[in-house]
Amino acid sequence: MIKNARFVPVTYVPPSRKDIGGRLLIENYNIHMTETTSKLLQDAELFGLTAMGDGATICKYPLTNVLFAGGYEHQALIDVIDSSNHMAIGGVKDARYIASKIMPLM
């Protein structure tokens, strides 16, 4: 790759940290989600889809991970849900709560 650096025009300006953390990150996310969704839904009528979820606490933040699997995509993280409000009112991340978060995504 460094051998090809000499062919870069002198007017080239690398992306700024704001571009990398902003528009380029969003563009990369959108491309990734499009490809993942496409693979997940490929032959879904034949193989079906599996929904999975779990509760995780990361750095004292209660989260709920929502994953789906299909015939050609063995695991796809669809959403990470902040469960802080639910836990603050005394709730628990049990199967009923996780299912209530997964059902709207199906």
Side-chain angles (χ1 to χ4, degrees), residues 29 33 45 49 55 60 93:
Y29 169 80
M33 287 304 290
E45 306 82 26
L49 295 176
K60 299 184 181 180
K93 293 183 281 185

Side-chain angles (χ1 to χ4, degrees), residues 55-97:
T57 302
I58 300 173
C59 295
K60 299 184 181 180
Y61 290 102
L63 304 171
T64 302
N65 300 316
V66 179
L67 299 100
F68 279 85
Y72 300 102
E73 184 66 46
H74 302 292
Q75 58 183 0
L77 179 65
I78 302 300
D79 201 0
V80 177
I81 299 167
D82 182 3
S83 303
S84 299
N85 293 336
H86 176 70
M87 299 296 287
I89 60 173
V92 292
K93 293 183 281 185
D94 58 359
R96 180 167 297 190
Y97 173 74

Side-chain angles (χ1 to χ4, degrees), residues 4-6 9 12-15 19 26 29 31-32 34 40 43-45 59 61-62 77 88 94 98 101-102 106:
N4 294 328
R6 63 184 169 176
Y12 172 75
V13 178
D19 285 339
I26 291 169
Y29 169 80
I31 291 169
H32 173 73
T34 300
L40 188 62
D43 291 333
E45 306 82 26
C59 295
Y61 290 102
L77 179 65
D94 58 359
I98 292 172
K101 295 300 176 185
I102 291 175
M106 295 180 102

